Amino acid sequence: MIKRTGLSLLILGLIVATAAPAAAETWRGKVTEFAAKNLQEYLIYSHSRRDYVLAKNLAAADHVTLDEDVIFAAAYLHDMGDVSAFADPKKEHADVGAAKIDIVLAKTDFPKAKLDAVRAAIRTHNPDRNPISAEARYLHDADILDNLGASGWAWALELVDKNGGKPTGPQTANGFTNSAMLEKGVVTPAGKAERAIRVAEQKAFLDALRRETDGFKNL
């Protein structure tokens, strides 16, 4: 997923990702169970796990220490407001998710003093918002980066309607050629370095795809 300067991040990410899962009775276990059961729509569960690993890797590359409780909870629950069961069509999904984390965390042993930090990180994970805390900044960048490059394309491709509905392959490809708003949102040093790698990855892939599919018409 990450190459060249990102290789060390990938190695660290694999260590994090393959660590023993938390026991089900702990708050982490309950968050993981909740996400695995309720956040599969749009493949959000796997996206959230990638965001958690990438946020930690980016912070490590910048020699920044994150609060492990805050980044775990925020990463796994940040897109809760995008899922049909919890969404509010009148509100931005980041605000909805921030408001609803108590559904998952309130009756667990999660440190209550850290709930506001989780809410803030979720609320500001969108590319056009201004994250303040370290956890918010690295979640913000990880979320943007997971929508770019090889992993972003793979995720988008899995969401193409296999029955010919929307989104179609051409719509997905054309959307990827207009990622400037996402790219502009990255704020951390390691995030900007990784952004350069992922933008180059997706440009090379899309240039080839455009050439081989008559400008995406035959996807």
Side-chain angles (χ1 to χ4, degrees):
M1 185 166 89
I2 303 171
K3 58 185 180 181
R4 294 198 298 275
T5 58
L7 181 58
S8 60
L9 298 185
L10 174 59
I11 294 172
L12 177 60
L14 290 175
I15 294 172
V16 173
T18 56
E25 64 271 14
T26 68
W27 72 262
R28 289 185 187 222
K30 291 178 180 178
V31 166
T32 303
E33 287 181 349
F34 173 86
K37 180 179 179 181
N38 297 285
L39 305 183
Q40 294 288 357
E41 189 175 10
Y42 310 124
L43 304 178
I44 285 174
Y45 177 52
S46 55
H47 160 64
S48 298
R49 288 184 292 152
R50 293 194 301 273
D51 275 8
Y52 168 65
V53 173
L54 183 54
K56 287 173 64 68
N57 294 347
L58 294 172
D62 283 342
H63 307 289
V64 172
T65 299
L66 301 181
D67 184 298
E68 179 63 24
D69 296 334
V70 173
I71 194 60
F72 186 97
Y76 272 71
L77 300 176
H78 76 282
D79 273 342
M80 183 177 171
D82 237 352
V83 175
S84 298
F86 307 104
D88 182 339
K90 296 181 180 180
K91 296 181 180 179
E92 167 53 51
H93 82 279
D95 297 324
V96 174
K100 293 190 175 182
I101 61 169
D102 286 348
I103 292 173
V104 187
L105 297 175
K107 295 183 179 180
T108 71
D109 58 339
F110 184 83
K112 300 299 186 288
K114 299 180 181 183
L115 285 170
D116 284 344
V118 175
R119 292 189 185 98
I122 292 175
R123 191 176 296 113
T124 59
H125 81 266
N126 286 4
D128 60 344
R129 294 195 171 182
N130 182 33
I132 302 300
S133 70
E135 294 77 25
R137 286 166 62 81
Y138 285 97
L139 175 61
H140 171 92
D141 279 10
D143 191 65
I144 292 173
L145 292 168
D146 195 52
N147 283 273
L148 300 173
S151 67
W153 175 255
W155 181 21
L157 188 61
E158 287 198 68
L159 296 178
V160 170
D161 192 316
K162 305 303 187 293
N163 297 314
K166 296 181 179 180
T168 65
Q171 286 173 332
T172 298
N174 282 306
F176 254 77
T177 64
N178 188 28
S179 61
M181 185 272 288
L182 284 176
E183 297 167 28
K184 184 178 178 181
V186 177
V187 296
T188 66
K192 291 176 181 178
E194 183 64 19
R195 175 185 62 190
I197 295 171
R198 296 194 181 210
V199 168
E201 286 176 344
Q202 75 184 38
K203 183 180 186 304
F205 177 78
L206 289 169
D207 284 349
L209 188 65
R210 184 185 290 105
R211 178 178 61 82
E212 295 170 10
T213 61
D214 190 18
F216 305 140
K217 296 176 185 176
N218 297 327
L219 278 177

